[in-house]
Amino acid sequence: MKVLVIGGGGREHAIVDALSRSPQVEKIYCAPGNAGIARQAECVAIRETEVERLRDFAAAEGIALTVVGPEVALAAGVVDCFKAAGLRIFGPTKAAARIESSKEFAKELMAKYDIPTAGFRAFTEYAAARDYVAGRSFPAVLKYDGLAAGKGVVIAQTMEEADAALKEMLLDDKFGEGKVVVEDYLEGPEFSLLCFVSGRRVWPMVLSQDHKRAFDGDQGPNTGGMGAYSPLPFITAEDERFAVERIMRPTAEAMVAEGCPFEGVLYGGLMKTAQGIKVIEFNARFGDPETEVVLPRLKSDIVEIFCAVADGGDARLEWDDRPALGIVLASKGYPGSYEKGHEIKGLENVEGTVYHMGTKADGDRIVTAGGRVLFVVGRGATLAEAREAALRDVARIGCDNLFHRTDIGHWALDEK
Ligand code: AMP
Ligand code: GLY
C-alpha cells in the first residue's frame, strides 16, 4: 500500500522508519518531511495544516493509510477532513484531540471519571485567578488553556512570578483567548506512556522518559525535549499496570462515554508521586522525542496496528528488550533564538540511527533548519551501553552550531 505521513520532525522520521520495515508498504510519502526523511520517503511540499490540500493529495495518489504526527494538524481538523472524504487516517478527530488542546477539557474529564491527577481550578478573569493563587502555597502551577507549543506552563516560585504569568496569559492575550488552569504542585519522576487507542481498546507501548530542560543536570529553560530513553527501570510492573488499568483504559472509556471516542495515540504524561501515579497531561499524538526511542523497539508490523486502530480490528504488539537511548543535537541558543543554515558533516560515519528533527538539503549538503536538529539513537544490552553508543555517534557528527546534553538517562543511570 501507499502511505502518507504528515509532519516533518524526528517523530515523523521515526514513524517513516517504522513504516519502511513493513512488508505491506510499497511507497511512503511525507508532507512536508525533511532532509533525513527524504532518504526513506518522497517528501511532498504541503504544510501540515493545509488539510484540504493533504486530503486532495491522498485522494489523487490512492493513499491507503495516512498517519498524523503533529498536534497542529489534528487541531486543524485533518482527521475530520479525511474521514469526511472516506479516506483512512490514523489520529483523533478534533473533538477527541481536545484532550490535548484544552487543559480544561482534560481536567474536567479526569475529575468526572476519577482519574488521578493534580487538583485544579480554571479561571478566565485575572483578578479572580490572582486572588486564588495569592491564598495558596507556592510553587504555583499555572497552565494556559490551549496549544502553546510547550510554553504554556509556568511553575511560579513567588507571587511576583505568578502575577506576571497571569497578566501575560489573561490580560495581554499573548497566546490568544485566555483561560488559565491553576493546579496543585506535584513532585516525583515523570514518564511517558504512549498507547495505541481505538475506542475502548488500548494497546500500551513500552515506557519512555523525556528530558525537558536544555542543559545537563536538568538545568536551564524548558524545551520541546532534549533526549529520551526506554525502558525505565524505576517504574515497576505494578506501577505500569496501575497506569494502564487505572489511567489509560478508563480515559479511553471516558472518551467513548463523552461521545468523542479516541482513535490514535493517547500519550499519558505521568508522574510517580509519593501518593501514587498521577496524570500531568495528556497528548493526542505520538510524543517527540519519545517516539524516536519507542518505535525502534517495536518488532511488530506497525501497519497492522495503524489499520487495527483505524478499522477496529485486532493487533498484537511485540517489543525488543534491548534498550534505546537518544540524544538531541540542538541549535545553539535553542529554545531561544538561534541561527539556521549551518552545515552538518559526518552523518555517513554514524553507526546507529539518526532521526532528522530540523534539517534541510542545500545541494549536496545538509544544513540545520530548526531548533532541534538531529536525534541520535544508541542501542545496547543495557541503558548504559545504549548511552555510550549514542555519545560515540554524536562525536562523529560535525557542526559548529549544535549542542547536546551528555546526561540523558540520568534518572536510571547516575546516582542522584
Ligand atoms: P505540561 O505541559 O502540562 O506537561 O507541563 C510541562 C511541565 O511542567 C511538566 O512536564 C512538569 O514538569 C511540569 N508540571 C506540569 N504540571 C505540574 C504539576 N501539577 N506539578 C508539578 N509540575 C508540573
Ligand atoms: N515529549 C513531549 C511531547 O511530545 O509533548
Side-chain angles (χ1 to χ4, degrees):
M1 62 171 77
K2 291 186 188 174
V3 296
L4 168 66
V5 176
I6 298 174
R11 164 182 49 207
E12 290 75 23
H13 196 173
I15 294 169
V16 164
D17 190 35
L19 284 166
S20 73
R21 296 196 292 270
S22 168
Q24 303 184 58
V25 171
E26 168 202 326
K27 171 136 196 175
I28 308 173
Y29 296 92
C30 189
N34 63 38
I37 291 173
R39 297 182 175 178
Q40 287 174 277
E42 183 175 329
C43 294
V44 184
I46 307 178
R47 274 178 289 125
E48 47 256 281
T49 48
E50 293 181 286
V51 298
E52 281 92 10
R53 284 190 67 200
L54 290 166
R55 175 201 59 199
D56 294 345
F57 175 81
E61 292 297 327
I63 302 291
L65 168 71
T66 298
V67 181
V68 188
E71 58 275 31
V72 286
L74 298 171
V78 71
V79 172
D80 309 68
C81 177
F82 272 59
K83 286 196 165 165
L87 294 165
R88 189 202 262 144
I89 186 160
F90 176 87
T93 60
K94 213 169 158 175
R98 280 179 301 166
I99 198 158
E100 170 169 4
S101 62
S102 165
K103 298 266 184 212
E104 195 184 18
F105 174 85
K107 296 299 284 187
E108 301 275 355
L109 187 88
M110 287 186 267
K112 183 168 170 188
Y113 293 90
D114 197 22
I115 293 157
T117 188
F120 77 103
R121 270 185 63 181
F123 294 90
T124 49
E125 277 178 46
Y126 162 72
R130 183 200 55 205
D131 293 349
Y132 178 73
V133 171
R136 286 163 49 95
S137 61
F138 283 82
V141 181
L142 312 173
K143 297 189 177 183
Y144 175 74
D145 191 23
L147 292 179
K151 294 182 184 119
V153 176
V154 173
I155 314 274
Q157 303 295 337
T158 63
M159 190 59 214
E160 289 66 45
E161 274 179 55
D163 192 44
L166 288 173
K167 278 196 177 121
E168 213 172 64
M169 291 173 178
L170 290 172
L171 293 182
D172 298 353
D173 279 350
K174 174 175 156 193
F175 299 108
E177 196 189 319
K179 189 178 273 186
V180 168
V181 171
V182 181
E183 278 190 14
D184 295 342
Y185 178 75
L186 302 179
E187 270 176 300
E190 289 178 62
F191 62 102
S192 306
L193 173 54
L194 282 58
C195 297
F196 293 103
V197 171
S198 180
R200 283 193 177 77
R201 289 170 320 133
V202 174
W203 293 269
M205 297 184 226
V206 288
L207 298 173
S208 55
Q209 191 189 42
D210 186 7
H211 297 60
K212 294 208 167 139
R213 301 296 199 98
F215 309 128
D216 280 353
D218 291 327
Q219 302 295 310
N222 262 315
T223 70
M226 292 297 293
Y229 64 100
S230 172
L232 306 183
F234 56 89
I235 301 296
T236 64
E238 194 182 326
D239 290 335
E240 199 170 343
R241 204 171 325 110
F242 181 92
V244 172
E245 300 305 329
R246 282 284 292 112
I247 294 175
M248 303 309 287
R249 213 178 285 287
T251 301
E253 282 165 10
M255 294 297 280
V256 174
E258 291 297 306
C260 47
F262 193 93
E263 256 181 41
V265 172
L266 182 62
Y267 165 129
L270 310 177
M271 189 184 270
K272 182 173 172 162
T273 76
Q275 290 76 39
I277 293 175
K278 299 195 182 197
V279 177
I280 293 289
E281 65 164 348
F282 284 119
N283 291 322
R285 49 165 177 87
F286 281 107
D288 195 356
E290 289 93 328
T291 304
E292 292 96 301
V293 292
V294 168
L295 291 187
R297 295 189 56 206
L298 179 67
K299 290 203 285 187
S300 321
D301 181 347
I302 201 165
V303 169
E304 279 180 21
I305 303 163
F306 286 146
C307 291
V309 169
D311 303 341
D314 209 1
R316 261 181 56 78
L317 268 60
E318 277 188 66
W319 298 97
D320 186 344
D321 288 335
R322 290 173 76 236
L325 185 145
I327 300 171
V328 171
L329 302 189
S331 295
K332 287 179 185 163
Y334 172 79
S337 61
Y338 53 84
E339 291 173 9
K340 295 182 186 179
H342 289 259
E343 184 173 4
I344 303 165
K345 290 187 180 154
L347 285 170
E348 65 286 354
N349 302 327
V350 164
E351 284 175 3
T353 302
V354 178
Y355 293 126
H356 290 227
M357 305 183 96
T359 63
K360 218 174 71 179
D362 175 26
D364 294 341
R365 308 183 318 151
I366 299 223
V367 300
T368 62
R372 294 187 297 173
V373 175
L374 296 169
F375 190 83
V376 179
V377 185
R379 302 296 298 270
T382 61
L383 273 173
E385 281 182 31
R387 177 155 83 184
E388 282 164 25
L391 284 168
R392 269 198 308 276
D393 272 344
V394 165
R396 293 181 172 117
I397 297 171
C399 179
D400 57 13
N401 199 48
L402 295 177
F403 77 99
H404 65 275
R405 281 182 63 164
T406 60
D407 69 343
I408 300 304
H410 69 81
W411 275 101
L413 289 171
D414 309 325
E415 276 177 284
K416 291 221 95 185

